[in-house]
Amino acid sequence: MIYLLAFISILLGAVAQYFLKMGMTNWVLKGSVGEMLRLLFHNYYLWSGILCYGVSMLFWLYVLSRMELSKAYPMVSLGYVITLLIGYFLLNEPLSYPKVIGIVLIVAGVCFIARG
């Protein structure tokens, strides 16, 4: 159960990155400071990303209260894998052989640490 909660926390962090990317993609640094702030405050992607990070943090705090730090923290690297997949499937970012090899190495490392 604790591993599932850790995964949910990591997944929410990766989804937060997607929302922040979407929110900042069309945001332009022009106009007055007030106009830029108004646009930021009405940016629902940005707020969705912040909300995902907040919920992710709550899950993560619970995970840290129940799991060894030396096992929990390396699992955060799975966020790189999820973020790369989100970029590939939702943002049409390229997926190269070095990226795939990196994903395999990250997952293998997390599996080794979780067993130890």
Side-chain angles (χ1 to χ4, degrees):
M1 179 66 167
I2 196 68
Y3 287 101
L4 177 62
L5 293 176
F7 180 75
I8 291 170
S9 173
I10 294 162
L11 179 64
L12 283 169
V15 170
Q17 285 295 318
Y18 169 74
F19 283 135
L20 294 176
K21 169 69 174 170
M22 293 302 295
M24 298 312 293
T25 297
N26 296 321
W27 191 67
V28 183
L29 287 173
K30 65 179 182 180
S32 68
V33 173
E35 179 65 16
M36 287 187 294
L37 289 175
R38 186 189 69 73
L39 290 173
L40 275 178
F41 282 119
H42 290 92
N43 188 328
Y44 298 109
Y45 280 117
L46 180 66
W47 287 109
S48 296
I50 292 169
L51 177 66
C52 283
Y53 266 133
V55 174
S56 172
M57 183 187 70
L58 294 175
F59 277 102
W60 191 249
L61 290 173
Y62 182 80
V63 168
L64 289 178
S65 74
R66 303 285 191 259
M67 184 185 285
E68 294 176 19
L69 181 62
S70 61
K71 285 187 178 183
Y73 193 68
M75 292 175 67
V76 173
S77 62
L78 292 175
Y80 295 122
V81 176
I82 297 166
T83 304
L84 186 134
L85 294 173
I86 288 172
Y88 176 74
F89 287 108
L90 300 180
L91 300 173
N92 298 316
E93 294 178 354
L95 187 62
S96 63
Y97 285 114
K99 288 179 182 179
V100 171
I101 292 168
I103 286 174
V104 170
L105 291 173
I106 288 170
V107 171
V110 169
C111 288
F112 280 120
I113 290 172
R115 289 183 176 190

